[in-house]
Amino acid sequence: MNALAFSTPARLFGDYSRRLNAMLEAFDWTPVERLAYELHDCWLTGRQVFFVGNGGSAANASHLANDFLYPVSKAPGSGLRAHSLVANPAVTSCLANDEGYDQIFALQLAVLARKGDVLIALSGSGNSPNIVKAVEQARAIGMTSYAVVGFSGGKTKTIVDVPIHFAVDDMQLAEDAQIVVGHMVMQWLYAQRGGIAALKETASLGGKG
């Protein structure tokens, strides 16, 4: 897409809207449904969810970690144990300086994550070395990994457990897709919040003897 080809902003806006709509209409939502059920179980069991990304995808990682921590339930103490591994600049700059930028997510996972936790990688190209290493580290730990990727999906698509691949050659649409996926899953989980609370209460009562 060449923005210079559009004589007015409105023409570009209309074209962008049509391309975004076409991307969403054509998509097979099966892997996103799997993610929704996975995060539902994380909410019930307390498994942790880690988000990673670079640039705009990093901002989306922190945005979605917030959504799943509190807005998903809006009840104190009730969200998912969600973390953005881009959120602490002291940690990311330390690891980048001492170990290399490609290690900034993998080395955090090595300390914080446990078997059964979930990694959600956000990447336009799917080829960022630190994203690839994060997925490899997740596999070594025994985590389940998901990736929302655009373009060809890159190396990440080939090594992640569940790729959520939007085959669009447009970074902005690829980043839009990350937020759309996250918000769809968040809204579905929000609708389940009453059932989650009831199941947790039942489990708590069953553990008292």
Side-chain angles (χ1 to χ4, degrees):
M1 189 276 296
N2 181 5
L4 296 177
F6 294 91
S7 59
T8 67
R11 289 190 177 185
L12 187 146
F13 300 162
D15 177 77
Y16 191 101
S17 299
R18 286 187 290 273
R19 289 185 291 119
L20 177 61
N21 184 65
M23 177 186 76
L24 298 176
E25 286 290 335
F27 194 69
D28 177 2
W29 296 101
T30 303
V32 180
E33 185 174 29
R34 178 171 172 181
L35 174 61
Y37 284 120
E38 184 92 57
L39 295 188
H40 185 275
D41 186 69
C42 287
W43 198 353
L44 281 172
T45 63
R47 289 189 290 142
Q48 299 182 100
V49 182
F50 295 91
F51 290 87
V52 296
N54 294 289
S57 298
N60 287 345
S62 290
H63 179 141
L64 293 176
N66 166 71
D67 281 352
F68 289 109
L69 179 72
Y70 174 71
V72 73
S73 69
K74 293 191 175 181
S78 175
L80 281 78
R81 299 173 67 201
H83 313 272
S84 168
L85 296 186
V86 307
N88 189 330
V91 170
T92 55
S93 61
C94 172
L95 294 176
N97 184 69
D98 290 5
E99 301 292 342
Y101 195 76
D102 61 333
Q103 296 286 353
I104 63 171
F105 302 135
L107 292 181
Q108 291 187 73
L109 290 174
V111 174
L112 299 172
R114 296 292 181 267
K115 182 177 180 180
D117 288 343
V118 171
L119 173 68
I120 302 176
L122 308 178
S123 178
S125 70
N127 283 319
S128 300
N130 57 10
I131 297 295
V132 171
K133 287 190 177 295
V135 174
E136 292 172 343
Q137 181 65 48
R139 176 161 294 178
I141 293 169
M143 302 172 69
T144 301
S145 60
Y146 292 78
V148 185
V149 290
F151 294 84
S152 70
K155 185 174 181 181
T156 298
K157 179 185 174 183
T158 69
I159 63 173
V160 76
D161 292 321
V162 184
I164 300 173
H165 178 214
F166 292 85
V168 290
D169 295 333
D170 183 306
M171 186 59 74
Q172 285 66 55
L173 289 180
E175 291 176 348
D176 289 343
Q178 297 166 6
I179 289 294
V180 168
V181 166
H183 283 172
M184 284 179 167
V185 173
M186 179 264 187
Q187 287 200 353
W188 181 76
L189 289 174
Y190 182 78
Q192 315 307 313
R193 66 194 186 284
I196 290 282
L199 287 169
K200 284 192 168 187
E201 178 65 20
T202 299
S204 174
L205 291 174
K208 296 177 181 178

